[in-house]
Amino acid sequence: MKTNDRCRVAVVGASGYAGEELVRLLLAHPDAELTAVTSRQNLGKKLSQVFPRFARVATADTISFSDLDSANIARHTDIVFLALPHGVSAEFAKPLLDRGARVIDLSADFRLRSADLYREFYGKVHIAPELLANATYGLPELYRDQIRGASLVACPGCYPTSILIPLLPLTRQKLIEAGSICVTSLSGVTGAGRKVEAGYLFAECNESIRPYGVPKHRHLSEIEQELSLVGGEPIAIQFIPHLVPANRGIITTIYANVRSEGTDRIGSVMENFFRDEPFVRLLTGEQLPDTKNVVGTNFIDIAWRFDPRTKRIILMSAIDNLVKGTSGQAVQCMNLMSSFPETAGLF
Amino acid sequence: MKTNDRCRVAVVGASGYAGEELVRLLLAHPDAELTAVTSRQNLGKKLSQVFPRFARVATADTISFSDLDSANIARHTDIVFLALPHGVSAEFAKPLLDRGARVIDLSADFRLRSADLYREFYGKVHIAPELLANATYGLPELYRDQIRGASLVACPGCYPTSILIPLLPLTRQKLIEAGSICVTSLSGVTGAGRKVEAGYLFAECNESIRPYGVPKHRHLSEIEQELSLVGGEPIAIQFIPHLVPANRGIITTIYANVRSEGTDRIGSVMENFFRDEPFVRLLTGEQLPDTKNVVGTNFIDIAWRFDPRTKRIILMSAIDNLVKGTSGQAVQCMNLMSSFPETAGLF
Amino acid sequence: MKTNDRCRVAVVGASGYAGEELVRLLLAHPDAELTAVTSRQNLGKKLSQVFPRFARVATADTISFSDLDSANIARHTDIVFLALPHGVSAEFAKPLLDRGARVIDLSADFRLRSADLYREFYGKVHIAPELLANATYGLPELYRDQIRGASLVACPGCYPTSILIPLLPLTRQKLIEAGSICVTSLSGVTGAGRKVEAGYLFAECNESIRPYGVPKHRHLSEIEQELSLVGGEPIAIQFIPHLVPANRGIITTIYANVRSEGTDRIGSVMENFFRDEPFVRLLTGEQLPDTKNVVGTNFIDIAWRFDPRTKRIILMSAIDNLVKGTSGQAVQCMNLMSSFPETAGLF
Amino acid sequence: MKTNDRCRVAVVGASGYAGEELVRLLLAHPDAELTAVTSRQNLGKKLSQVFPRFARVATADTISFSDLDSANIARHTDIVFLALPHGVSAEFAKPLLDRGARVIDLSADFRLRSADLYREFYGKVHIAPELLANATYGLPELYRDQIRGASLVACPGCYPTSILIPLLPLTRQKLIEAGSICVTSLSGVTGAGRKVEAGYLFAECNESIRPYGVPKHRHLSEIEQELSLVGGEPIAIQFIPHLVPANRGIITTIYANVRSEGTDRIGSVMENFFRDEPFVRLLTGEQLPDTKNVVGTNFIDIAWRFDPRTKRIILMSAIDNLVKGTSGQAVQCMNLMSSFPETAGLF
């Protein structure tokens, strides 16, 4: 039993960049209490020992990495965050859910509604397909009400967040041609996670700019799934991500043909859709998105331009891949699930 | 009179990054002799004093910045490089040409065939419109023969180089839909030149990723002009450049719809077009362009993928904006104009 | 009159990096209320317009840059922060102090106790020498009690903060030889402020490592003044700063000869001195300072090693030059002056 | 038998940064012919496949990585470069030397004259101690004549190169106090080699500044050995290296007390010593070393300042750790051993 109104939370797999950022947000959250962190490789070490930046911060000097014991965690926790690799999360989610914990999963395991689609894009059979129907896609700008009551939330990927949010208003209003969407994203290197591979060494990334995942990046699956649902028609897009030498931040630039009747309505549709969104900043005047304005925050900055020469709209967004792109969005979902102010711990 | 077979060259306006890189290439060129460098702000200083990296390199300790004296320069020089701002080059080119010098201009002043287009994109009246008809666009992959005999060469911009070369083969063969081309470019910060403006300070660019020049960047004019000529039909494209925190390098990613009959021919068309190009490397296998493989060289690395889901081709290229994107290409043109091996001084 | 217990604060000169960081901390401070920001160049603009990262954050969308009106500011403000260039602060401080405001100055104008020393190191006559005797050097680790009651606090420079704090314990105990201290500091580029000069352009700093200010950097004056007071004897040091390609952070490495009788006491002296310091983290085990662990925080991380081969101690520290090195320390002083918890708004 | 006067060379272990840079220099060298490259992990692959930047450059498309066959290599090669880890080189050198090849070793295996010192600093028993007496320390500024005739050259480490060269003149003239030397070095990340370890990931090094190897870095052994020989007395120094977020470059800053009688002679001693050195640039006027002026070159830039306040001299140097710090210096040695111009292939 919890003794006060704080939400007791655990982070399973807190050794990557997303897990570390999540811990940072939770340690500073006014209404959450971090009761457990697990990590096989850091077992027994104090949180502040593994992440020296957390020394002297809240409970980081007293809490230690434990082994995952589902029963124990479910008993002492209200919400469990899974910061595990794709394919591993599904395995851990089930026993936690069975024991009554609510789960916010940061992996891709519960983002797709179809186990077939999962197999196509992730190359393996889904191990808990029966849970897919119960999962809620954790994009508050789209599923705010469902998230409040959800027991299993699948946080969107960082690229999908940066692509879906700017596309939601015009797609819902059917103002853009479904087949015309081309998306370029530029990501800082933490987007790849803390993978110890030669390609992510400093001297391989610094002074290097490069595309990758061409032409069928895994994130296409959830982007197209959600866009098609919003637009009420099958939507396939082109999406090419690029790696650039920065720690954090994603810039997404989207090209799409505007339906002839839609040109005049773009501005009002965008403004109406985002008016009450606490974390969407629709830029005005000459401003264009710049990752340095969102890094460390849960904001997504969005700008758009209509090009009369080509009848295309250019949508641009900036997010911090580790905050609005992952851990901040997860905390935003936790806030909704716990009836906290949606912005609690995120400003 | 020159006393040997070396080409005597001068660099007018050698204080920016392009001018500095050009000087670097010319100091090391086996067949060129740098006889003059001019710069108002560095007047009287030795080359190695302004650019300490050149100390002890060739003639950098003996040559000093002089004032521009067209008559004098034309008398002692075979080829004059103009590394001046847009709008300034046109003024300097005329007296040099009148006195018999051959001119390679790195600015945008002679890239467009129409003075009206120049005014539309550059916002001022062209001061030497009569020269436009005589200028050759300095893209060897397109105008090799014309460059050999040219007296006025207009070197392409860095973005246009990275966009035009990969598009040439399919455009000439009319394999892609003219109206479907969307281009994203990512550039290192030297692309902006050595401008002392707040936006280019280290702490404003480092850990910053951002689009700019949306939606009508000046370089669109020369890209569309050349593409339309190659394709034999008017071609308008979408082009959005981005600034990323690297010193050098441009990655360009191009999206275009392939005409239905063209799918099978892409590979052979690309290979045939580039087979004998000394500076184009068509990547094979899994390789994708990475700026770190071309920085410091005059190569353009190109890869392509056809996406059967969308019927689009994705063309990707990498160049060093200061070499193949500017100064190296200028030297390549000089080699052609002087009947040197095309690769002289560029490997 | 203030209507509650919050401290009403103004930031004069909020256009540089230190001013911007100070605004960030004050907007989020639980006990402070930002009532005015001034900047000649941004006059009339909203805070969030000049610094887009602050849009939607607290009062940043409503507060606008005003002109400095000392009478008005003093009337509506409890504490005024001066984030102005050296030489300018002194001029603004006097009328504010005369009208009863308390002033925290981030410049060097009130750090030295002697107007002669000021003239020697800053090259101009001090314009308010009569205030020097009233100023308190704003290093809480040294002058905590005096800061509480001070009306004029002179915040230390970023280098002095990183050098003085690790040296305080051993200097006070006279464990190191006064003439033996050599100091190397490595600073990120924001340390130079938002100066629009060629030397601070991205491409001049990225992939560049360089010493500067050799051998007599201005900050020597305040470092030697404070060390001499603490040690009770004249202490002159060697100090060479270096610029490295990072936005934020200072690493300081100090070499000093240990007096023969002092070797065994180093550990206990260090631990005792820092035991209750809320923002000093004395690293243990194998840990060495790394700026990435302190950036964005008000912590100073300190490690030391005794080298038995040379009888020297190596002291190493890491701070965020814009937080513990400037603005965070200023807020720490404000907390002390206002009887808030010393860590308020700084975790 | 070689068929012309070119030097036939092999690179053993060409998969790290030093090996790759060495290959770059050798491919472009006018008098060298790369006949073999070996690497266990890249066995059978073409050079240009492993290092795409070399595609189309000289023989990089035809030469493939082979296994090390000492007999075969010795037969077809005049000089063999060993770019192997410490401890591995010694094993490979012996059979090559026995078969008559001349060896230039880039590891630390033959830098120390004493097998005991090797064991103390490298933690293992030397496997070919009998070769130590025959090895020549490959610092041309100190051992030019011996290198010409050497059969086994031990290239200095990158830190030692940046520290020894500036200290040679004053040490030889006994102008500085032996026990007073403190050295700080700042290195780009390639200095650590292409090690796939978490600490060298992009996001762990970018925006990170940190000391390491405190207080007894391995390179101390060779620095002190050579300084003591030059100075004719035992010299122990303090040396602390730091890692900064750049790909290449080392800045070294040295503090030392000047003997009272030496002050006036510093300038002439420095100038005389370096006057004829082809790769040492003694900076004049206000200039201080900056790695960006030496990166990609074999130069070492040196400046010095005498501080009358402390009677110390500050010596500062800049090198490219992969060129003058490793591979360029190795080529400089090869040039000497082969009676080529000392600067061949290095400008």
Side-chain angles (χ1 to χ4, degrees), chain C residues 5-22:
Chain C
D5 288 345
R6 302 186 79 188
C7 179
R8 299 165 310 163
V9 298
V11 178
V12 174
S15 59
Y17 290 123
E20 181 181 353
E21 185 70 6
L22 185 56

mmCIF file with all atom_site columns, all heavy atoms in Angstrom, chain C residues 5-22:
data_model
loop_
_atom_site.group_PDB
_atom_site.id
_atom_site.type_symbol
_atom_site.label_atom_id
_atom_site.label_alt_id
_atom_site.label_comp_id
_atom_site.label_asym_id
_atom_site.label_entity_id
_atom_site.label_seq_id
_atom_site.pdbx_PDB_ins_code
_atom_site.Cartn_x
_atom_site.Cartn_y
_atom_site.Cartn_z
_atom_site.occupancy
_atom_site.B_iso_or_equiv
_atom_site.pdbx_formal_charge
_atom_site.auth_seq_id
_atom_site.auth_comp_id
_atom_site.auth_asym_id
_atom_site.auth_atom_id
_atom_site.pdbx_PDB_model_num
ATOM 1   N N   . ASP C 1 5  ? 6.032  36.186 0.155   1.00 0.00 ? 5  ASP C N   1
ATOM 2   C CA  . ASP C 1 5  ? 7.411  36.034 0.601   1.00 0.00 ? 5  ASP C CA  1
ATOM 3   C C   . ASP C 1 5  ? 8.388  35.762 -0.512  1.00 0.00 ? 5  ASP C C   1
ATOM 4   O O   . ASP C 1 5  ? 9.552  35.471 -0.272  1.00 0.00 ? 5  ASP C O   1
ATOM 5   C CB  . ASP C 1 5  ? 7.497  34.892 1.637   1.00 0.00 ? 5  ASP C CB  1
ATOM 6   C CG  . ASP C 1 5  ? 6.874  35.334 2.936   1.00 0.00 ? 5  ASP C CG  1
ATOM 7   O OD1 . ASP C 1 5  ? 6.666  36.545 3.103   1.00 0.00 ? 5  ASP C OD1 1
ATOM 8   O OD2 . ASP C 1 5  ? 6.612  34.452 3.777   1.00 0.00 ? 5  ASP C OD2 1
ATOM 9   N N   . ARG C 1 6  ? 7.918  35.802 -1.736  1.00 0.00 ? 6  ARG C N   1
ATOM 10  C CA  . ARG C 1 6  ? 8.836  35.561 -2.832  1.00 0.00 ? 6  ARG C CA  1
ATOM 11  C C   . ARG C 1 6  ? 9.783  36.740 -2.971  1.00 0.00 ? 6  ARG C C   1
ATOM 12  O O   . ARG C 1 6  ? 9.435  37.886 -2.664  1.00 0.00 ? 6  ARG C O   1
ATOM 13  C CB  . ARG C 1 6  ? 8.061  35.362 -4.135  1.00 0.00 ? 6  ARG C CB  1
ATOM 14  C CG  . ARG C 1 6  ? 7.058  34.206 -4.041  1.00 0.00 ? 6  ARG C CG  1
ATOM 15  C CD  . ARG C 1 6  ? 6.428  33.952 -5.369  1.00 0.00 ? 6  ARG C CD  1
ATOM 16  N NE  . ARG C 1 6  ? 7.323  33.188 -6.231  1.00 0.00 ? 6  ARG C NE  1
ATOM 17  C CZ  . ARG C 1 6  ? 7.091  32.945 -7.511  1.00 0.00 ? 6  ARG C CZ  1
ATOM 18  N NH1 . ARG C 1 6  ? 6.003  33.441 -8.081  1.00 0.00 ? 6  ARG C NH1 1
ATOM 19  N NH2 . ARG C 1 6  ? 7.924  32.232 -8.225  1.00 0.00 ? 6  ARG C NH2 1
ATOM 20  N N   . CYS C 1 7  ? 10.951 36.454 -3.459  1.00 0.00 ? 7  CYS C N   1
ATOM 21  C CA  . CYS C 1 7  ? 11.947 37.491 -3.677  1.00 0.00 ? 7  CYS C CA  1
ATOM 22  C C   . CYS C 1 7  ? 11.739 38.055 -5.076  1.00 0.00 ? 7  CYS C C   1
ATOM 23  O O   . CYS C 1 7  ? 11.740 37.309 -6.054  1.00 0.00 ? 7  CYS C O   1
ATOM 24  C CB  . CYS C 1 7  ? 13.339 36.868 -3.545  1.00 0.00 ? 7  CYS C CB  1
ATOM 25  S SG  . CYS C 1 7  ? 14.692 38.011 -3.828  1.00 0.00 ? 7  CYS C SG  1
ATOM 26  N N   . ARG C 1 8  ? 11.530 39.369 -5.152  1.00 0.00 ? 8  ARG C N   1
ATOM 27  C CA  . ARG C 1 8  ? 11.347 39.991 -6.459  1.00 0.00 ? 8  ARG C CA  1
ATOM 28  C C   . ARG C 1 8  ? 12.724 40.329 -7.036  1.00 0.00 ? 8  ARG C C   1
ATOM 29  O O   . ARG C 1 8  ? 13.512 41.012 -6.388  1.00 0.00 ? 8  ARG C O   1
ATOM 30  C CB  . ARG C 1 8  ? 10.491 41.242 -6.331  1.00 0.00 ? 8  ARG C CB  1
ATOM 31  C CG  . ARG C 1 8  ? 9.082  40.951 -5.790  1.00 0.00 ? 8  ARG C CG  1
ATOM 32  C CD  . ARG C 1 8  ? 8.423  42.230 -5.353  1.00 0.00 ? 8  ARG C CD  1
ATOM 33  N NE  . ARG C 1 8  ? 9.332  42.981 -4.482  1.00 0.00 ? 8  ARG C NE  1
ATOM 34  C CZ  . ARG C 1 8  ? 9.182  44.268 -4.193  1.00 0.00 ? 8  ARG C CZ  1
ATOM 35  N NH1 . ARG C 1 8  ? 8.164  44.957 -4.696  1.00 0.00 ? 8  ARG C NH1 1
ATOM 36  N NH2 . ARG C 1 8  ? 10.049 44.887 -3.408  1.00 0.00 ? 8  ARG C NH2 1
ATOM 37  N N   . VAL C 1 9  ? 13.000 39.821 -8.229  1.00 0.00 ? 9  VAL C N   1
ATOM 38  C CA  . VAL C 1 9  ? 14.337 39.994 -8.798  1.00 0.00 ? 9  VAL C CA  1
ATOM 39  C C   . VAL C 1 9  ? 14.281 40.600 -10.199 1.00 0.00 ? 9  VAL C C   1
ATOM 40  O O   . VAL C 1 9  ? 13.301 40.436 -10.927 1.00 0.00 ? 9  VAL C O   1
ATOM 41  C CB  . VAL C 1 9  ? 15.104 38.650 -8.885  1.00 0.00 ? 9  VAL C CB  1
ATOM 42  C CG1 . VAL C 1 9  ? 15.315 38.068 -7.493  1.00 0.00 ? 9  VAL C CG1 1
ATOM 43  C CG2 . VAL C 1 9  ? 14.358 37.662 -9.773  1.00 0.00 ? 9  VAL C CG2 1
ATOM 44  N N   . ALA C 1 10 ? 15.342 41.314 -10.536 1.00 0.00 ? 10 ALA C N   1
ATOM 45  C CA  . ALA C 1 10 ? 15.508 41.860 -11.880 1.00 0.00 ? 10 ALA C CA  1
ATOM 46  C C   . ALA C 1 10 ? 16.877 41.432 -12.410 1.00 0.00 ? 10 ALA C C   1
ATOM 47  O O   . ALA C 1 10 ? 17.815 41.248 -11.642 1.00 0.00 ? 10 ALA C O   1
ATOM 48  C CB  . ALA C 1 10 ? 15.419 43.380 -11.848 1.00 0.00 ? 10 ALA C CB  1
ATOM 49  N N   . VAL C 1 11 ? 16.943 41.249 -13.718 1.00 0.00 ? 11 VAL C N   1
ATOM 50  C CA  . VAL C 1 11 ? 18.222 40.932 -14.353 1.00 0.00 ? 11 VAL C CA  1
ATOM 51  C C   . VAL C 1 11 ? 18.556 42.053 -15.327 1.00 0.00 ? 11 VAL C C   1
ATOM 52  O O   . VAL C 1 11 ? 17.822 42.283 -16.295 1.00 0.00 ? 11 VAL C O   1
ATOM 53  C CB  . VAL C 1 11 ? 18.159 39.583 -15.098 1.00 0.00 ? 11 VAL C CB  1
ATOM 54  C CG1 . VAL C 1 11 ? 19.497 39.305 -15.788 1.00 0.00 ? 11 VAL C CG1 1
ATOM 55  C CG2 . VAL C 1 11 ? 17.812 38.452 -14.149 1.00 0.00 ? 11 VAL C CG2 1
ATOM 56  N N   . VAL C 1 12 ? 19.626 42.748 -15.052 1.00 0.00 ? 12 VAL C N   1
ATOM 57  C CA  . VAL C 1 12 ? 20.045 43.858 -15.898 1.00 0.00 ? 12 VAL C CA  1
ATOM 58  C C   . VAL C 1 12 ? 21.104 43.352 -16.870 1.00 0.00 ? 12 VAL C C   1
ATOM 59  O O   . VAL C 1 12 ? 22.152 42.861 -16.451 1.00 0.00 ? 12 VAL C O   1
ATOM 60  C CB  . VAL C 1 12 ? 20.614 45.004 -15.027 1.00 0.00 ? 12 VAL C CB  1
ATOM 61  C CG1 . VAL C 1 12 ? 21.198 46.111 -15.911 1.00 0.00 ? 12 VAL C CG1 1
ATOM 62  C CG2 . VAL C 1 12 ? 19.517 45.560 -14.133 1.00 0.00 ? 12 VAL C CG2 1
ATOM 63  N N   . GLY C 1 13 ? 20.792 43.425 -18.154 1.00 0.00 ? 13 GLY C N   1
ATOM 64  C CA  . GLY C 1 13 ? 21.752 42.966 -19.162 1.00 0.00 ? 13 GLY C CA  1
ATOM 65  C C   . GLY C 1 13 ? 21.576 41.507 -19.495 1.00 0.00 ? 13 GLY C C   1
ATOM 66  O O   . GLY C 1 13 ? 22.549 40.755 -19.556 1.00 0.00 ? 13 GLY C O   1
ATOM 67  N N   . ALA C 1 14 ? 20.335 41.113 -19.722 1.00 0.00 ? 14 ALA C N   1
ATOM 68  C CA  . ALA C 1 14 ? 20.052 39.691 -19.905 1.00 0.00 ? 14 ALA C CA  1
ATOM 69  C C   . ALA C 1 14 ? 20.145 39.264 -21.364 1.00 0.00 ? 14 ALA C C   1
ATOM 70  O O   . ALA C 1 14 ? 19.233 38.638 -21.898 1.00 0.00 ? 14 ALA C O   1
ATOM 71  C CB  . ALA C 1 14 ? 18.678 39.368 -19.337 1.00 0.00 ? 14 ALA C CB  1
ATOM 72  N N   . SER C 1 15 ? 21.235 39.592 -22.050 1.00 0.00 ? 15 SER C N   1
ATOM 73  C CA  . SER C 1 15 ? 21.318 39.156 -23.451 1.00 0.00 ? 15 SER C CA  1
ATOM 74  C C   . SER C 1 15 ? 22.480 38.211 -23.707 1.00 0.00 ? 15 SER C C   1
ATOM 75  O O   . SER C 1 15 ? 22.537 37.586 -24.751 1.00 0.00 ? 15 SER C O   1
ATOM 76  C CB  . SER C 1 15 ? 21.415 40.380 -24.371 1.00 0.00 ? 15 SER C CB  1
ATOM 77  O OG  . SER C 1 15 ? 22.552 41.136 -24.021 1.00 0.00 ? 15 SER C OG  1
ATOM 78  N N   . GLY C 1 16 ? 23.384 38.086 -22.780 1.00 0.00 ? 16 GLY C N   1
ATOM 79  C CA  . GLY C 1 16 ? 24.502 37.164 -22.957 1.00 0.00 ? 16 GLY C CA  1
ATOM 80  C C   . GLY C 1 16 ? 24.156 35.779 -22.443 1.00 0.00 ? 16 GLY C C   1
ATOM 81  O O   . GLY C 1 16 ? 23.037 35.518 -22.005 1.00 0.00 ? 16 GLY C O   1
ATOM 82  N N   . TYR C 1 17 ? 25.134 34.869 -22.497 1.00 0.00 ? 17 TYR C N   1
ATOM 83  C CA  . TYR C 1 17 ? 24.869 33.502 -22.054 1.00 0.00 ? 17 TYR C CA  1
ATOM 84  C C   . TYR C 1 17 ? 24.622 33.434 -20.553 1.00 0.00 ? 17 TYR C C   1
ATOM 85  O O   . TYR C 1 17 ? 23.757 32.688 -20.080 1.00 0.00 ? 17 TYR C O   1
ATOM 86  C CB  . TYR C 1 17 ? 26.033 32.576 -22.427 1.00 0.00 ? 17 TYR C CB  1
ATOM 87  C CG  . TYR C 1 17 ? 26.137 32.337 -23.912 1.00 0.00 ? 17 TYR C CG  1
ATOM 88  C CD1 . TYR C 1 17 ? 27.288 32.629 -24.615 1.00 0.00 ? 17 TYR C CD1 1
ATOM 89  C CD2 . TYR C 1 17 ? 25.043 31.837 -24.623 1.00 0.00 ? 17 TYR C CD2 1
ATOM 90  C CE1 . TYR C 1 17 ? 27.370 32.416 -25.988 1.00 0.00 ? 17 TYR C CE1 1
ATOM 91  C CE2 . TYR C 1 17 ? 25.120 31.630 -25.986 1.00 0.00 ? 17 TYR C CE2 1
ATOM 92  C CZ  . TYR C 1 17 ? 26.286 31.922 -26.664 1.00 0.00 ? 17 TYR C CZ  1
ATOM 93  O OH  . TYR C 1 17 ? 26.351 31.712 -28.014 1.00 0.00 ? 17 TYR C OH  1
ATOM 94  N N   . ALA C 1 18 ? 25.383 34.215 -19.781 1.00 0.00 ? 18 ALA C N   1
ATOM 95  C CA  . ALA C 1 18 ? 25.207 34.172 -18.334 1.00 0.00 ? 18 ALA C CA  1
ATOM 96  C C   . ALA C 1 18 ? 23.826 34.733 -17.962 1.00 0.00 ? 18 ALA C C   1
ATOM 97  O O   . ALA C 1 18 ? 23.111 34.174 -17.129 1.00 0.00 ? 18 ALA C O   1
ATOM 98  C CB  . ALA C 1 18 ? 26.315 34.960 -17.643 1.00 0.00 ? 18 ALA C CB  1
ATOM 99  N N   . GLY C 1 19 ? 23.445 35.834 -18.601 1.00 0.00 ? 19 GLY C N   1
ATOM 100 C CA  . GLY C 1 19 ? 22.135 36.409 -18.326 1.00 0.00 ? 19 GLY C CA  1
ATOM 101 C C   . GLY C 1 19 ? 21.017 35.453 -18.696 1.00 0.00 ? 19 GLY C C   1
ATOM 102 O O   . GLY C 1 19 ? 20.037 35.292 -17.965 1.00 0.00 ? 19 GLY C O   1
ATOM 103 N N   . GLU C 1 20 ? 21.164 34.803 -19.837 1.00 0.00 ? 20 GLU C N   1
ATOM 104 C CA  . GLU C 1 20 ? 20.140 33.851 -20.282 1.00 0.00 ? 20 GLU C CA  1
ATOM 105 C C   . GLU C 1 20 ? 20.014 32.686 -19.299 1.00 0.00 ? 20 GLU C C   1
ATOM 106 O O   . GLU C 1 20 ? 18.907 32.261 -18.959 1.00 0.00 ? 20 GLU C O   1
ATOM 107 C CB  . GLU C 1 20 ? 20.519 33.332 -21.673 1.00 0.00 ? 20 GLU C CB  1
ATOM 108 C CG  . GLU C 1 20 ? 19.507 32.353 -22.254 1.00 0.00 ? 20 GLU C CG  1
ATOM 109 C CD  . GLU C 1 20 ? 19.925 31.837 -23.622 1.00 0.00 ? 20 GLU C CD  1
ATOM 110 O OE1 . GLU C 1 20 ? 20.929 32.339 -24.190 1.00 0.00 ? 20 GLU C OE1 1
ATOM 111 O OE2 . GLU C 1 20 ? 19.242 30.924 -24.132 1.00 0.00 ? 20 GLU C OE2 1
ATOM 112 N N   . GLU C 1 21 ? 21.157 32.192 -18.837 1.00 0.00 ? 21 GLU C N   1
ATOM 113 C CA  . GLU C 1 21 ? 21.124 31.069 -17.896 1.00 0.00 ? 21 GLU C CA  1
ATOM 114 C C   . GLU C 1 21 ? 20.516 31.511 -16.561 1.00 0.00 ? 21 GLU C C   1
ATOM 115 O O   . GLU C 1 21 ? 19.758 30.761 -15.926 1.00 0.00 ? 21 GLU C O   1
ATOM 116 C CB  . GLU C 1 21 ? 22.553 30.551 -17.672 1.00 0.00 ? 21 GLU C CB  1
ATOM 117 C CG  . GLU C 1 21 ? 22.654 29.315 -16.799 1.00 0.00 ? 21 GLU C CG  1
ATOM 118 C CD  . GLU C 1 21 ? 22.119 28.063 -17.456 1.00 0.00 ? 21 GLU C CD  1
ATOM 119 O OE1 . GLU C 1 21 ? 21.756 28.106 -18.644 1.00 0.00 ? 21 GLU C OE1 1
ATOM 120 O OE2 . GLU C 1 21 ? 22.030 27.031 -16.764 1.00 0.00 ? 21 GLU C OE2 1
ATOM 121 N N   . LEU C 1 22 ? 20.833 32.719 -16.167 1.00 0.00 ? 22 LEU C N   1
ATOM 122 C CA  . LEU C 1 22 ? 20.273 33.252 -14.928 1.00 0.00 ? 22 LEU C CA  1
ATOM 123 C C   . LEU C 1 22 ? 18.747 33.348 -15.035 1.00 0.00 ? 22 LEU C C   1
ATOM 124 O O   . LEU C 1 22 ? 18.016 32.972 -14.118 1.00 0.00 ? 22 LEU C O   1
ATOM 125 C CB  . LEU C 1 22 ? 20.888 34.634 -14.662 1.00 0.00 ? 22 LEU C CB  1
ATOM 126 C CG  . LEU C 1 22 ? 20.536 35.331 -13.363 1.00 0.00 ? 22 LEU C CG  1
ATOM 127 C CD1 . LEU C 1 22 ? 20.866 34.475 -12.152 1.00 0.00 ? 22 LEU C CD1 1
ATOM 128 C CD2 . LEU C 1 22 ? 21.283 36.679 -13.270 1.00 0.00 ? 22 LEU C CD2 1
#
